[in-house]
């Protein structure tokens, strides 16, 4: 089995934990809201023979330290800027960027903001995701709300029917280990994300893939993102049958195979 190595690096004053595996052209991997980089390990192990996979924990997530004052980033532009500083700190040259959910939105935004991005792979990714109300977001850190239990049914309903028992169990553990401030910050950024006007700035190949059983990110959302990529040299939209909101976790082999094929084809 491919070795995955964990390290720390300072990024904008944040002691940041990341995991890496393999060698070759780099891929920056971005986790879903409130979670951490472990959810990418299955994909990393499969891509590492050909690519250098790097997956950070955002500030205040997993093993990364929070920002000063014990807060997390909470707007999409600040998160993408921090991620780009992370990639620069590690010296990742012309990385492909790959993420899921808010990570998928971030992959599209990084492609729009940074011409050095070699390719975008967005799972459940869109440019406009008005999915959570401000009132619901405020409740996530209310002292009388236990977010991990309040969020369990919601999160598990997003997992597709084709997910393995192991993937389903790890998805549940991800909910049970949620850090409320991190979840709130990510979902605030996600709910207020609107980068539709920036999609025409993407000049690299793009693959958008959607689990067909995800009721949160609709087909209309991903099609709108695809249609906005008017200057990208190649745009693909794929349906992942039987998968839900977390395709990279639900079927790591399928997602790694799809991503590897796409990246090999674009060179």
């Amino acid at each position: 089995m491919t070795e995955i190595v964990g390290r720390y690096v300072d990024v904008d004053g944040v002691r940041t934990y990341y995991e890496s595996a393999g060698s070759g052209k780099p891929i920056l991997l971005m986790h879903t809201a409130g979670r951490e980089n472990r959810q990418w390990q299955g994909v990393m192990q499969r891509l590492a023979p050909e690519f250098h996979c790097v997956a950070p924990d955002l500030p205040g997530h997993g093993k990364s330290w929070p920002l000063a004052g014990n807060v997390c980033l909470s707007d999409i532009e600040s998160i993408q800027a921090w991620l780009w500083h992370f990639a620069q700190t590690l010296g990742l040259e012309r990385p492909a960027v790959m993420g899921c959910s808010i990570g998928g939105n971030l992959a599209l935004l990084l492609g729009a903001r940074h011409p050095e991005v070699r390719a975008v792979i967005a799972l459940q990714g869109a440019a406009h995701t008005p999915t959570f109300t401000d009132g619901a977001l405020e409740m996530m850190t209310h002292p009388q709300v236990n977010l991990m239990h309040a969020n369990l049914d919601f999160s598990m309903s997003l997992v597709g029917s084709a997910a393995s028992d192991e993937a389903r169990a790890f998805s549940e553990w991800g909910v049970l280990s949620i850090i409320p401030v991190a979840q709130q910050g990510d979902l605030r950024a996600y709910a207020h994300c609107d980068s539709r006007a920036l999609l025409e700035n993407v000049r690299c190949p793009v693959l958008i893939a959607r689990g067909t059983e995800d009721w949160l990110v609709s087909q209309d959302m991903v099609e709108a993102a695809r249609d906005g990529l008017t200057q990208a040299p190649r745009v693909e939209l794929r349906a992942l049958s039987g998968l839900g909101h977390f395709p990279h976790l639900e079927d790591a082999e399928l997602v790694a195979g799809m991503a590897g094929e796409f990246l090999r084809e674009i060179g």
Side-chain angles (χ1 to χ4, degrees):
M1 183 174 292
T2 301
E3 183 180 29
I4 296 176
V5 178
R7 297 185 176 91
Y8 277 96
V9 65
D10 186 275
V11 181
D12 293 348
V14 175
R15 186 165 168 77
T16 300
Y17 178 74
Y18 71 98
E19 295 181 344
S20 62
S23 60
K25 294 181 178 178
I27 307 174
L28 176 64
L29 302 164
M30 295 165 287
H31 58 71
T32 59
R35 308 300 173 84
E36 32 85 11
N37 59 17
R38 275 189 302 170
Q39 61 182 199
W40 283 106
Q41 287 190 358
V43 172
M44 293 172 72
Q45 288 171 335
R46 291 167 172 84
L47 289 177
E50 295 182 70
F51 302 97
H52 179 206
C53 301
V54 180
D57 286 343
L58 287 174
H61 298 63
K63 295 181 181 179
S64 287
W65 292 63
L67 304 177
N70 286 340
V71 298
C72 297
L73 298 168
S74 60
D75 71 87
I76 202 78
E77 286 287 2
S78 294
I79 299 173
Q80 74 81 18
W82 185 91
L83 283 163
W84 192 248
H85 292 164
F86 169 82
Q88 290 179 310
T89 300
L90 264 60
L92 304 183
E93 295 186 6
R94 300 197 67 242
V97 293
M98 183 175 179
C100 182
S101 187
I102 187 174
N105 291 25
L106 285 161
L108 290 166
L109 185 55
L110 284 162
R113 289 296 190 197
H114 306 285
E116 301 93 332
V117 168
R118 182 168 61 90
V120 169
I121 301 176
L123 310 176
Q124 316 307 119
H128 186 222
T129 46
T131 46
F132 297 90
T133 66
D134 288 338
L137 292 166
E138 288 299 326
M139 289 297 292
M140 291 180 181
T141 53
H142 192 283
Q144 294 181 326
V145 172
N146 185 318
L147 182 59
M148 64 181 68
H149 292 293
N151 189 247
L152 187 59
D153 288 343
F154 171 87
S155 288
M156 295 310 295
S157 73
L158 291 169
V159 179
S161 60
S164 67
D165 290 343
E166 181 181 5
R168 191 171 297 276
F170 187 73
S171 294
E172 184 172 310
W173 181 253
V175 181
L176 295 176
S177 55
I178 279 176
I179 300 171
V181 175
Q183 179 87 341
Q184 183 187 59
D186 287 352
L187 292 181
R188 191 181 301 282
Y190 186 66
H192 293 278
C193 175
D194 186 356
S195 56
R196 290 175 290 183
L198 300 173
L199 290 177
E200 63 181 17
N201 295 332
V202 178
R203 299 292 202 275
C204 65
V206 178
L207 169 61
I208 301 174
R210 176 181 177 268
T212 59
E213 296 185 9
D214 182 3
W215 56 262
L216 183 64
V217 177
S218 69
Q219 187 68 16
D220 286 345
M221 287 180 181
V222 295
E223 288 181 358
R226 176 201 61 191
D227 294 345
L229 294 163
T230 56
Q231 303 303 312
R234 172 176 173 173
V235 181
E236 295 185 28
L237 177 58
R238 299 193 192 182
L240 305 179
S241 180
L243 300 185
H245 192 68
F246 311 97
H248 60 308
L249 184 56
E250 297 173 36
D251 194 335
E253 184 172 1
L254 183 149
V255 168
M258 175 186 68
E261 177 186 32
F262 180 73
L263 293 173
R264 284 190 295 273
E265 288 177 356
I266 67 172

